């Protein structure tokens, strides 16, 4: 049995396993990190969250200023606008 090839295979396996572990860890942090983004501040200094406009009929995201939903083609009651929510402390 060639011990040099065996040790080399173990080292290669550990390197690949470590790289895959770090990639999975980064993806999990990215997925969980969206809720931990820093809040924006408005003119009063309050922390706010901006929500993209959604269609009231199909609840899909629409473009700002749209008068029709591009998913269900329903006519929106008013041009779509970004909604701002103040974060309660």
């Amino acid at each position: 049995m060639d011990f040099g090839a065996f040790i080399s295979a173990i080292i290669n396996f550990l390197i690949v396993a470590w790289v895959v572990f770090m990639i999975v860890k980064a993806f999990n942090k990215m997925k969980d990190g969206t809720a931990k983004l820093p809040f924006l501040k408005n003119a009063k200094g309050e922390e706010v969250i901006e929500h993209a406009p959604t269609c009231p009929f199909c609840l899909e995201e629409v473009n700002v200023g749209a008068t029709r939903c591009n998913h269900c083609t329903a006519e929106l009651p008013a041009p779509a606008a970004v909604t701002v929510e103040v974060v309660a402390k």
Side-chain angles (χ1 to χ4, degrees), residues 24-41:
V24 170
K25 185 177 175 182
F27 277 119
N28 285 339
K29 188 180 285 190
M30 243 182 4
K31 185 174 70 171
D32 295 341
T34 57
K36 299 174 186 171
L37 290 175
F39 297 111
L40 300 173
K41 294 199 183 242

Side-chain angles (χ1 to χ4, degrees), residues 54-67:
T54 56
C55 173
F57 304 105
C58 66
L59 302 177
E60 292 289 331
E61 187 175 324
V62 294
N63 295 330
V64 175
T67 56

Side-chain angles (χ1 to χ4, degrees), residues 10-83:
I10 289 176
I11 291 172
N12 286 338
F13 173 77
L14 291 176
I15 291 172
V16 170
W18 183 75
V19 168
V20 170
F21 171 76
M22 296 305 286
I23 290 172
V24 170
K25 185 177 175 182
F27 277 119
N28 285 339
K29 188 180 285 190
M30 243 182 4
K31 185 174 70 171
D32 295 341
T34 57
K36 299 174 186 171
L37 290 175
F39 297 111
L40 300 173
K41 294 199 183 242
N42 62 5
K44 297 179 185 176
E46 300 169 327
E47 293 181 339
V48 296
I49 301 173
E50 290 185 352
H51 297 284
T54 56
C55 173
F57 304 105
C58 66
L59 302 177
E60 292 289 331
E61 187 175 324
V62 294
N63 295 330
V64 175
T67 56
R68 282 197 175 268
C69 175
N70 57 347
H71 300 283
C72 67
T73 67
E75 190 170 338
L76 301 176
V82 175
T83 56

